[in-house]
Amino acid sequence: MMRARMALLAAALLLSACKEGKAPESEVPVDGPSTDPVSPTDILGDAHGTPRPEELVAAPAPVTGSAVVVGLEAGARGLASVAQVDVDLTVSGVRGRGTVEVEFVPPSGLPYERRSTVVEAEPAMSRTLRFSLPVAGTTVATSGMSGTWQARFFLDGAPLTTAAFTLEP
């Protein structure tokens, strides 16, 4: 109860300090020196509007990736005839060093296998990495994990791209 009264008194004190109907008083004298507005070019470059050298540097290219399933022929898509599925990832725009991860996801939607590797490149370079999913003699074949799979790729934990492939029974 005491706090409520204190809050009410504080609010009343603040309200009484307000001047109703009057504009706020200016701290700059009315007769003081006047200044012209500064042109935007004055702060972005020199007096003639020429950009500074750091403004001429292009923004780095974004990291991009594309994945292609290789090694799966039209007639060899059955679990009994596929030794492995290879997926090539081409990544560009990497600045220095990064960790590329692939997650192979079967039709059930639950991740089956995850692998990673380190990639080093300059931003203007592209790198192609191959990731393989063994099929013959693994749980994929013995458990009959047929259907559409996904290979999901990540760079330093951020999603990069996805490729899909189908394994037939």
Side-chain angles (χ1 to χ4, degrees):
M1 187 72 168
M2 183 66 164
R3 285 186 184 174
R5 285 184 183 165
M6 292 299 285
L8 186 60
L9 284 175
L13 183 62
L14 284 173
L15 286 174
S16 68
C18 293
K19 297 178 183 177
E20 291 185 281
K22 288 188 175 182
E25 293 181 23
S26 171
E27 301 212 6
V28 178
V30 175
D31 297 343
S34 66
T35 56
D36 293 328
V38 177
S39 169
T41 57
D42 288 342
I43 59 172
L44 294 177
D46 63 17
H48 304 291
T50 306
R52 295 180 289 217
E54 61 267 19
E55 294 171 347
L56 297 175
V57 176
V63 177
T64 59
S66 62
V68 177
V69 177
V70 294
L72 258 185
E73 300 166 10
R77 291 185 183 263
L79 292 173
S81 60
V82 175
Q84 68 183 30
V85 177
D86 296 325
V87 184
D88 286 352
L89 170 72
T90 302
V91 63
S92 60
V94 176
R95 289 164 213 36
R97 188 178 177 120
T99 301
V100 174
E101 293 178 289
V102 63
E103 182 177 66
F104 288 103
V105 182
S108 70
L110 300 173
Y112 172 74
E113 189 170 279
R114 190 173 192 128
R115 291 199 204 115
S116 66
T117 189
V118 173
V119 63
E120 276 189 72
E122 294 179 22
M125 297 173 65
S126 64
R127 294 274 192 233
T128 300
L129 308 166
R130 178 165 287 179
F131 293 89
S132 298
L133 173 70
V135 176
T138 68
T139 307
V140 175
T142 60
S143 296
M145 299 172 81
S146 61
T148 302
W149 285 65
Q150 289 187 349
R152 297 178 186 161
F153 292 93
F154 304 87
L155 178 67
D156 294 329
L160 190 58
T161 191
T162 302
F165 56 93
T166 301
L167 294 174
E168 296 172 359

